[in-house]
Amino acid sequence: MADALSPDPIKVDQTLHGYSEGHRLIDGSLKLPQPDARTMLVLSDASGSGSRLPPDGYLTGYPLAESGKYVLARTWAAPEMSRPGCVWTHSLLIDFADLARLRSADDLLNSFRRPSETGGVGFAARLEVETARTPTAVPPVHLRRAGLWASALYGKPRGRIVAERDGPGDDELVAAIWMQQWPRLRRAFRFCSFSTEDRSTSADIFDLQLMDAGRSSRSRIPDGVIASMVDHSEWINMLLDDLELPKRSGLRQFLRDVGSDVTNGRAAMVTLVDLYAALESNAGPSKLTDAVARLEGLGSGQGRVGRAAAARVVFSRPGLNDSRLFDFALEQVRTERNLLEIDPVTIGRALLRWRPELLAEGIGDGDPLQEAIEAAVMEASSDELVDLVETVPGAATALLPLRQDLLEQASFWRIASVDAQRLIASFDPELDQAARIVGALVDAGRDDCSSAVVVRFGIAPVVAALSKLDVAGIRSGMGWVRAIARQTDDLAKGMADGTVWHRPLLFALAEVLDPDSVPNSVGTDPWVIAVERSRTSGDAHGEDLLAACLFTRARGWRSRSAGRLFFLSVQRLHEAMASARLSDQAWRIAKLRLPYGSMWRDWDQCKKLRHAVVDSFIDRDLPPIEFGTVVDDGKLWEELVDLAADNSRGRRYLDKVRSALRSGGEAWWAERVRLIDRKVK
């Protein structure tokens, strides 16, 4: 936390009390309310009778609640006065607000001034006192006594602590202990560094009184706690380290920060010191658990800042696995709309780790945790969130509105508890990420969703997803291929506009589609456009299958581009038949439109194919130029010409072919013209 101290001096009021026909106020810079004036009159008088006061006097510190000031006073013996037992007391009155700015009492102690024998003058004006920026260190030789006093003060917080005065160094020592306290405790602390009897009243109890060594402390304060009789505890070592090396210690600043809303006085010191130790990075979780339990023991309204500090540590330690600590931290952040100024991501990640069921249970509007969860969800990796959904299925409802990219993860769709059909039905049909979602579904093997997806989005995203797969990938998702194959109108449109062109996808479609199913009411056959847009692959099985499909379609009634279909299929299919390479699957497709009859033996598939091609061109009077170029293989083409020349109708058709070929300028066309010339006289 920021250091709120200012290097500017503070204004301090002052008073002088002494003898003038009785102990009374001699001079001062302010007029106090009557109750506070009466308190000062009493406490500025000698702290006891019958004892010789220390030559340098002694200190008394106490608050004036009504005036909002703290009094730090030094009292000296005044033997120059005619009446025995008279004293001078110079009091500095510090505003409570300024008291919080002090780190050392040295400047105040140096401001005390004993009046001269001629009387007290010069105390009517306010003093200007510098505020030291660094606390005063306690020499090691005094640490044992400081330990005894601090141990008694905070180990017995309800007791009136008494100890024997050892010498003039005790004034600085008790001031150092006072300065170690947080401001709220500091302004309530009452002490006196030399006393012969209890200076407490029924309403105002002195916390610490150093007794004249010549008197019995027990006899003067029967219910007082003797500092020398209090055992040391572990926490006291931290206080002593801070007193000895205050510049290196963070304890004092921690106490200033967390003690601001603690009203338990001295009773809170041990708790706050333990909390400070527990918040150290090397402290174990059990230490933090114990410290938090003690902090809660202060009361529900106590230590909000300390609770926040503990909650921050709980949230920032991923290794903590203590449900009590997390419940505690969760309670703290829920009380503050600003999440205790903790990074929302830190809190949110802790929630996802420790209370993922909160996402399934739902968090109400206005709950501060909503911001934390949203921040963590946005920052988390998709793998983390998928694991979360797998652990807490109901969490998907809260996660998906924030992270729709989860829908693009195959691992998400593999979760058995995810109701894929319901989710798909809820999607916007115009969803930009539809293709990526379908890709994830395909990758996840969710063929069972294929029909629902096509109904919701159409075939385009499915085609896009399948077009990224190789042959093996597509064959592993044939359910998706069948789903788009049922949409023949959309498929025809996709082939025609270039959407459907991926060669492995065409292989799969050739396998599942009826060759006549894709409509071709106008223009070029969609199959021709799709096949010509793609490149021939090295997949012999797929290419043969595609050729069988195209040949059968060419022989059917649906296509308006039969000649082009023969061009795209006949030579490949003939080669496959001639080499006995044709698979049973391709053969089942091709034989549908091969000629029947006893004139050809079943094993002469090639001859059937040639007759089928020639008959189709002649019977349907297909464009002659397409017959002239239907195959590249010259020998095969000559066999086709021989079949055509076998009857008069064929020879007339060949005349047309010859005329068509003559219109071209290519050499191989002229060669084919000469071949027809030889076959048809």
Side-chain angles (χ1 to χ4, degrees):
M1 296 183 182
D3 184 353
L5 294 182
S6 166
D8 296 334
I10 61 173
K11 295 289 187 179
V12 174
D13 282 300
Q14 59 177 332
T15 62
L16 177 68
H17 289 79
Y19 182 78
S20 177
E21 298 181 352
H23 184 75
R24 57 187 291 269
L25 174 66
I26 303 300
D27 201 0
S29 64
L30 81 169
K31 182 175 178 60
L32 292 169
Q34 190 59 34
D36 288 345
R38 188 163 48 249
T39 298
M40 287 197 69
L41 182 63
V42 173
L43 294 178
S44 64
D45 204 353
S47 58
S49 60
S51 292
R52 180 184 297 274
L53 301 188
D56 295 326
Y58 62 87
L59 296 177
T60 304
Y62 55 96
L64 297 177
E66 189 168 341
S67 301
K69 294 180 181 296
Y70 189 89
V71 179
L72 180 64
R74 184 177 286 281
T75 300
W76 299 268
E80 67 272 25
M81 295 296 175
S82 58
R83 183 175 178 176
C86 290
V87 295
W88 292 109
T89 295
H90 182 198
S91 299
L92 305 178
L93 293 87
I94 310 124
D95 288 341
F96 282 163
D98 288 335
L99 196 65
R101 299 168 58 188
L102 299 175
R103 283 196 169 182
S104 168
D106 287 355
D107 295 312
L108 294 174
L109 298 178
N110 293 334
S111 299
F112 286 126
R113 182 161 54 90
R114 186 188 187 284
S116 67
E117 293 183 359
T118 57
V121 293
F123 296 90
R126 301 187 78 188
L127 293 176
E128 190 172 272
V129 179
E130 296 290 336
T131 56
R133 297 181 62 85
T134 56
T136 303
V138 172
V141 68
H142 294 316
L143 289 178
R144 189 188 69 81
R145 286 175 61 72
L148 292 176
W149 299 353
S151 178
L153 280 168
Y154 308 126
K156 301 290 183 182
R158 298 183 183 281
R160 307 179 189 185
I161 310 304
V162 295
E164 289 188 351
R165 180 181 173 90
D166 190 49
D170 286 355
D171 291 340
E172 286 72 20
L173 189 56
V174 71
I177 290 176
W178 175 52
M179 281 289 104
Q180 190 181 41
Q181 298 169 345
W182 59 91
R184 182 185 286 270
L185 177 58
R186 185 186 296 174
R187 74 189 189 199
F189 191 63
R190 289 183 173 82
F191 67 91
C192 181
S193 64
F194 180 84
S195 180
T196 59
E197 57 188 21
D198 189 5
R199 310 198 71 185
S200 303
T201 65
S202 59
D204 299 323
I205 305 299
F206 267 72
D207 297 279
L208 174 62
Q209 297 180 75
L210 303 185
M211 309 303 291
D212 180 4
R215 303 295 185 94
S216 168
S217 303
R218 176 66 70 188
S219 63
R220 293 293 182 180
I221 309 178
D223 57 349
V225 176
I226 307 301
S228 60
M229 296 176 65
V230 177
D231 293 334
H232 281 275
S233 299
E234 185 176 354
W235 52 265
I236 197 66
N237 293 327
M238 300 191 67
L239 286 172
L240 294 179
D241 289 344
D242 177 82
L243 286 172
E244 183 182 11
L245 301 168
K247 292 182 182 178
R248 293 171 48 182
S249 169
L251 174 61
R252 194 169 309 208
Q253 184 61 49
F254 178 79
L255 294 176
R256 287 178 63 90
D257 295 337
V258 304
S260 60
D261 59 352
V262 173
T263 60
N264 303 62
R266 287 155 48 197
M269 178 63 86
V270 177
T271 297
L272 297 187
V273 174
D274 284 346
L275 179 63
Y276 173 75
L279 298 184
E280 294 289 315
S281 59
N282 58 352
S286 61
K287 198 168 188 176
L288 182 57
T289 302
D290 294 343
V292 166
R294 284 194 289 273
L295 184 63
E296 292 187 300
L298 293 179
S300 59
Q302 295 291 306
R304 188 187 65 83
V305 179
R307 291 166 188 261
R312 290 189 193 94
V313 170
V314 171
F315 283 122
S316 62
R317 289 185 182 173
L320 278 180
N321 188 25
D322 188 313
S323 60
R324 291 171 301 173
L325 282 177
F326 184 72
D327 288 343
F328 160 81
L330 194 60
E331 180 183 351
Q332 306 315 307
V333 296
R334 270 187 151 156
T335 62
E336 298 287 341
R337 293 204 60 81
N338 65 354
L339 299 176
L340 300 175
E341 299 182 353
I342 303 173
D343 179 8
V345 173
T346 300
I347 296 176
R349 292 191 69 84
L351 284 168
L352 298 184
R353 187 168 58 249
W354 287 325
R355 288 287 186 274
E357 64 273 15
L358 283 178
L359 274 75
E361 295 168 0
I363 297 177
D365 293 339
D367 191 321
L369 296 183
Q370 185 67 40
E371 178 189 359
I373 286 179
E374 290 182 4
V377 167
M378 296 306 295
E379 188 266 352
S381 71
S382 55
D383 288 343
E384 289 174 310
L385 297 181
V386 168
D387 290 344
L388 178 60
V389 173
E390 195 156 17
T391 305
V392 183
T397 303
L399 292 177
L400 289 178
L402 300 172
R403 289 288 299 271
Q404 291 220 329
D405 59 302
L406 291 180
L407 300 170
E408 302 172 15
Q409 305 299 317
S411 54
F412 174 82
W413 294 107
R414 291 191 185 102
I415 299 173
S417 60
V418 170
D419 188 346
Q421 302 282 350
R422 184 186 63 79
L423 266 180
I424 293 168
S426 69
F427 290 154
D428 179 353
E430 303 300 323
L431 196 63
D432 291 339
Q433 60 181 148
R436 296 191 292 275
I437 293 174
V438 174
L441 283 161
V442 172
D443 192 25
R446 297 301 302 264
D447 289 32
D448 58 309
C449 299
S450 57
S451 296
V453 166
V454 170
V455 169
R456 196 64 183 168
F457 296 121
I459 71 167
V462 180
V463 169
L466 293 176
S467 296
K468 295 179 180 178
L469 303 178
D470 59 14
V471 171
I474 290 179
R475 293 204 61 79
S476 68
M478 288 301 287
W480 295 93
V481 177
R482 293 188 181 90
I484 62 174
R486 287 190 285 272
Q487 311 300 316
T488 51
D489 288 343
D490 293 339
L491 203 55
K493 182 180 178 183
M495 288 178 167
D497 66 14
T499 302
V500 182
W501 61 270
H502 187 51
R503 198 80 173 189
L505 178 57
L506 296 179
F507 296 162
L509 289 171
E511 178 180 338
V512 302
L513 274 172
D514 181 307
D516 296 329
S517 61
V518 175
N520 179 206
S521 55
V522 294
T524 304
D525 190 311
W527 270 106
V528 171
I529 297 173
V531 172
E532 290 186 341
R533 186 179 292 273
S534 64
R535 291 183 178 181
T536 304
S537 73
D539 181 352
H541 172 79
E543 294 292 346
D544 291 347
L545 190 65
L546 179 60
C549 176
L550 298 180
F551 166 77
T552 304
R553 181 176 176 82
R555 289 275 289 166
W557 51 271
R558 180 71 101 169
S559 177
R560 298 171 61 89
S561 307
R564 296 297 296 161
L565 289 174
F566 282 130
F567 169 76
L568 294 171
S569 62
V570 170
Q571 183 167 317
R572 173 96 201 179
L573 194 57
H574 193 273
E575 290 171 357
M577 290 176 173
S579 62
R581 186 186 68 209
L582 197 65
S583 67
D584 292 343
Q585 193 175 28
W587 169 244
R588 282 195 295 272
I589 297 173
K591 75 176 184 179
L592 294 174
R593 298 277 166 76
L594 287 176
Y596 293 96
S598 58
M599 60 182 297
W600 300 296
R601 292 174 295 181
D602 288 343
W603 53 266
D604 196 353
Q605 300 170 356
C606 293
K607 195 169 185 178
K608 289 183 178 180
L609 177 63
R610 292 195 297 273
H611 271 280
V613 173
V614 170
D615 289 349
S616 294
F617 273 96
I618 295 172
D619 294 345
R620 296 161 65 179
D621 196 22
L622 297 177
I625 190 61
E626 292 180 352
F627 182 87
T629 57
V630 68
V631 294
D632 294 333
D633 184 286
K635 182 179 180 183
L636 174 59
W637 192 77
E638 183 174 357
E639 290 179 297
L640 296 176
V641 170
D642 287 339
L643 286 175
D646 200 39
N647 57 62
S648 57
R649 286 181 61 237
R651 288 192 291 274
R652 288 195 294 272
Y653 184 77
L654 287 175
D655 281 340
K656 298 177 184 176
V657 173
R658 180 165 46 193
S659 298
L661 289 172
R662 283 174 176 163
S663 64
E666 298 185 45
W668 66 278
W669 285 26
E671 179 63 28
R672 292 194 173 185
V673 169
R674 288 192 289 274
L675 176 63
I676 294 176
D677 289 341
R678 290 196 297 273
K679 300 292 182 180
V680 180
K681 300 300 183 181

